[in-house]
Amino acid sequence: MKSWLFTILRNLRLNQVRGGPSKSRVVEMDDPDGGTREFEDKSSKDPLFLYLAKVKQADVRKAIEELPAVYREVIVLREFEELSYHEIAQVLDCPCGTVMSRLKRARERLKEVLQHWSIATSEAGQ
């Protein structure tokens, strides 16, 4: 059922993109209820920690947005929507092996981009 729904949503999005130029964006996936936590992390009250976490999150989002659509799609379905390889294959209508290779390439590209940004940031700060 879940993969069927994602297939419909994907096709709607593809139709929307084909219909005209639009800038894709990443939507917040936070719990609307503000979910309760069973334990409290002391670092969550540290303003510097909170700021650095937001910066890292923004960098990851930017890096994901820069990926080619085929890689961005599998990363979002796997890491954010937590679909299995089989479910992603059903949504994308491709073999599981293709899903795995795209994920591997997408993760490698993300790693390269984020490392490059990290090096550039540290060099700029010196």
Side-chain angles (χ1 to χ4, degrees), residues 5 20 22 39 41-42 48-49 54-55 58 68 70 74 77 83-85 87 92 94 100 104 112 116 121:
L5 181 60
S22 67
F39 62 92
D41 184 4
K42 291 180 184 178
L48 178 59
F49 178 83
K54 281 188 176 186
V55 169
V70 293
V74 294
L77 291 173
L83 295 181
S84 69
Y85 294 148
E87 290 171 323
L92 301 180
C94 66
M100 290 187 277
K104 183 178 190 297
E112 288 172 10
H116 177 72
T121 304

Side-chain angles (χ1 to χ4, degrees), residues 1-17 73 77 81 91:
M1 174 79 168
K2 192 173 184 181
S3 60
W4 175 76
L5 181 60
F6 276 110
T7 302
I8 292 172
L9 291 173
R10 177 179 180 263
N11 289 336
L12 288 172
R13 178 63 181 149
L14 289 174
N15 289 340
Q16 184 181 35
V17 169
E73 204 168 45
L77 291 173
E81 300 301 328
V91 169

Side-chain angles (χ1 to χ4, degrees), residues 12-64:
L12 288 172
R13 178 63 181 149
L14 289 174
N15 289 340
Q16 184 181 35
V17 169
R18 288 182 194 126
S22 67
K23 176 138 173 68
S24 62
R25 58 189 176 96
V26 177
V27 179
E28 283 295 322
M29 307 277 295
D30 293 338
D31 183 13
D33 302 324
T36 58
R37 295 185 181 200
E38 293 179 16
F39 62 92
E40 187 174 335
D41 184 4
K42 291 180 184 178
S43 61
S44 67
K45 292 185 180 184
D46 179 13
L48 178 59
F49 178 83
L50 293 173
Y51 171 75
L52 292 175
K54 281 188 176 186
V55 169
K56 282 183 185 178
Q57 186 179 34
D59 285 349
V60 171
R61 288 183 188 277
K62 280 188 228 174
I64 290 172

Side-chain angles (χ1 to χ4, degrees), residues 48-117:
L48 178 59
F49 178 83
L50 293 173
Y51 171 75
L52 292 175
K54 281 188 176 186
V55 169
K56 282 183 185 178
Q57 186 179 34
D59 285 349
V60 171
R61 288 183 188 277
K62 280 188 228 174
I64 290 172
E65 288 175 3
E66 289 182 10
L67 289 174
V70 293
Y71 297 148
R72 185 175 52 243
E73 204 168 45
V74 294
I75 283 285
V76 169
L77 291 173
R78 178 70 184 148
E79 304 302 335
F80 293 101
E81 300 301 328
E82 299 178 351
L83 295 181
S84 69
Y85 294 148
H86 181 72
E87 290 171 323
I88 296 170
Q90 287 179 332
V91 169
L92 301 180
D93 193 28
C94 66
C96 277
T98 301
V99 170
M100 290 187 277
S101 65
R102 285 180 186 173
L103 268 171
K104 183 178 190 297
R105 290 184 189 121
R107 288 173 178 153
E108 287 171 353
R109 285 195 183 193
L110 279 175
K111 183 178 176 182
E112 288 172 10
V113 169
L114 292 172
Q115 283 178 340
H116 177 72
W117 288 352

